Amino acid sequence: MSKILVTGGAGFIGSNFVRMMLAETDHQIINLDLLTYAGNLENLSDVEGRANYAFVRGDIVDARVMSAVFAEHQPEVVVHFAAESHVDRSVLDATAFVQTNVVGTQVLLDQSRHHGVRRFVHVSTDEVYGSLGATGLFTEDTPLQPNSPYSSSKAGSDLLVRAAVHTHDMDCVITRCSNNYGPFQFPEKLIPLMIANAREDTPLPVYGDGKNVRDWIHVDDHCRGIRRAMEDGATGEVYNFGGDAERENLFVVHEILRLVGKGEDLIRFVTDRPGHDRRYAMDSSKAKSQLGWSPSFTFESGLAQTVEWYLANQQWWERVRSGAYQDYYSRQYGGR
Ligand code: NAD
Ligand code: TYD
């Protein structure tokens, strides 16, 4: 049994990871989260009150608060999800991305070192590699060429983790994953946004020509990968995780409309995202051969399950779509 500090555990992937770890292990989980617009304790209402689960509200950027959290809980392992995670928001204003993703990661590395954390798992993204042409895959050796403020801030955090390994002999592992989908994803990202809009007969905004490609992975497969990297990843190594499921955005949108039972007349082609990366695709062969990991969902089975979840949990996304989300939506999409 280990004490694991999970940062960002009230967000999409973090909450799925916390639930999986509580279901499958007897580890003590401390969920540290600031509860920004993207963090929601409702995502974990089913595990509240568990003896081996605790929630702490705090900002990873605040070194004083983090020092107190580490001193009180004495974690042996840190799994670091907390981040500003949405590209479009980083285009509107990158400030919080630099603060949380870059500064916050360094604060956590410092506290982990000072408080004797045994292993630090840094959850990162394929977007740090930049954009692919029509062919090829990202490997762990692909140069970092991030294009958005979001991906640049994540690349910055990856490099700080690398420096902690080389300079301070810290035991860190970096995971880089492709686009996740599944239950509890905030409905600003493509798949949940399109499901919610389709359900409400609101236009589905497709950027540019809709032919950008993402490699989709179910969040459960990602969480299993992070667990494998935490348990058996080698110090200082990077592990790519992808879903072996490259799809054009327009294909994804058509599938969602079919599964929700709505017509293609809801699709609206809107102005492209500035600097929009064309294609992401992952080579996960290192994780497959060295960690014995492979994705268990096909895109078709995962998407059907996800659409079913959103249709059955409309109250959840209606609540998170109220309030501050409305201001973001009108800034991002205006009258489109
Ligand atoms: P999310 O936006 O759903 O959740 C982020 C969580 O971090 C929220 O609970 C938020 O409250 C918390 N947080 C934000 N700023 C904080 C701060 N200063 N202090 C403490 N907590 C703070 O994000 P997600 O999609 O679950 O992504 C989690 C991680 O996985 C991120 O690091 C992201 O870069 C990475 N990732 C995401 C994807 C994806 O497709 N969503 C793919 C690869 C990697
Ligand atoms: P997103 O879910 O924001 O993930 P990321 O930008 O990190 O890959 O977007 C996935 C793809 O969907 C990306 O190519 C942008 C596109 N997209 C739209 O066409 N319309 C939208 O409203 C959104 C949010 C995304």
Side-chain angles (χ1 to χ4, degrees):
M1 206 265 297
S2 296
K3 268 193 168 185
I4 304 178
L5 181 76
V6 176
T7 73
F12 163 47
I13 307 173
S15 63
N16 280 287
F17 181 78
V18 167
R19 183 177 299 98
M20 184 197 79
M21 293 300 282
L22 289 172
E24 296 178 4
T25 74
D26 63 356
H27 294 311
Q28 181 84 29
I29 306 289
I30 303 123
N31 174 8
L32 167 73
D33 198 296
L34 182 58
L35 301 182
T36 67
Y37 79 94
N40 184 356
L41 283 181
E42 217 185 306
N43 299 358
L44 286 169
S45 51
D46 53 329
V47 304
E48 256 171 41
R50 290 273 298 260
N52 57 340
Y53 171 73
F55 173 73
V56 180
R57 186 169 190 183
D59 185 348
I60 60 166
V61 176
D62 190 330
R64 199 181 47 81
V65 170
M66 286 306 104
S67 174
V69 169
F70 276 71
E72 182 185 345
H73 292 281
Q74 297 288 331
E76 295 154 78
V77 175
V78 171
V79 184
H80 175 34
F81 293 92
E84 287 290 333
S85 68
H86 189 38
V87 174
D88 293 323
R89 286 182 189 259
S90 79
V91 175
L92 293 174
D93 183 355
T95 313
F97 289 74
V98 176
Q99 282 298 316
T100 291
N101 300 2
V102 182
V103 179
T105 298
Q106 186 59 46
V107 167
L108 292 172
L109 288 167
D110 291 341
Q111 294 306 326
S112 297
R113 183 158 58 91
H114 296 146
H115 291 274
V117 165
R118 181 164 53 76
R119 163 149 282 200
F120 189 99
V121 181
H122 179 61
V123 180
S124 191
T125 166
D126 60 354
E127 303 191 25
V128 297
Y129 297 123
S131 184
L132 289 165
T135 58
L137 301 171
F138 294 132
T139 73
E140 290 81 358
D141 295 325
T142 302
L144 303 190
Q145 293 184 319
N147 294 316
S148 73
Y150 162 67
S151 55
S152 300
S153 67
K154 290 297 290 187
S157 66
D158 288 19
L159 294 179
L160 291 170
V161 173
R162 176 187 158 85
V165 174
H166 288 266
T167 306
H168 296 298
D169 276 333
M170 283 183 65
D171 177 354
C172 305
V173 172
I174 296 176
T175 63
R176 295 193 180 126
C177 190
S178 63
N179 285 63
N180 284 221
Y181 66 95
F184 297 107
Q185 185 168 31
F186 195 88
E188 63 184 355
K189 305 278 168 59
L190 180 76
I191 287 182
L193 176 70
M194 297 298 166
I195 298 171
N197 283 16
R199 177 66 173 191
E200 294 188 323
D201 293 303
T202 308
L204 273 51
V206 174
Y207 297 157
D209 62 4
K211 292 188 186 305
N212 299 66
V213 172
R214 296 294 183 263
D215 175 357
W216 294 98
I217 183 171
H218 192 278
V219 64
D220 289 352
D221 282 331
H222 183 195
C223 289
R224 285 192 305 104
I226 293 167
R227 182 177 171 196
R228 292 295 304 122
M230 178 187 86
E231 290 169 346
D232 284 326
T235 302
E237 291 295 316
V238 175
Y239 297 92
N240 282 356
F241 296 96
D244 294 334
E246 281 185 58
R247 299 288 186 278
E248 283 185 357
N249 292 340
L250 208 47
F251 175 88
V252 175
V253 170
H254 282 138
E255 280 299 288
I256 290 170
L257 284 168
R258 189 179 62 75
L259 289 162
V260 181
K262 297 293 170 78
E264 290 171 16
D265 53 312
L266 283 176
I267 295 176
R268 293 284 182 285
F269 287 96
V270 301
T271 313
D272 208 354
R273 169 188 284 172
H276 195 174
D277 284 339
R278 192 62 173 172
R279 175 172 166 261
Y280 302 145
M282 281 299 230
D283 179 344
S284 319
S285 52
K286 180 175 173 183
K288 286 175 180 165
S289 63
Q290 295 185 17
L291 300 175
W293 172 91
S294 61
S296 60
F297 282 86
T298 62
F299 183 66
E300 286 62 35
S301 65
L303 187 66
Q305 181 245 43
T306 301
V307 169
E308 207 174 295
W309 187 89
Y310 276 85
L311 296 184
N313 290 277
Q314 187 156 348
Q315 281 187 342
W316 177 87
W317 53 264
E318 279 179 348
R319 267 198 293 278
V320 300
R321 288 232 291 187
S322 63
Y325 177 79
Q326 297 298 337
D327 301 334
Y328 161 74
Y329 200 86
S330 49
R331 271 184 86 193
Q332 175 63 18
Y333 297 99
R336 297 182 296 180

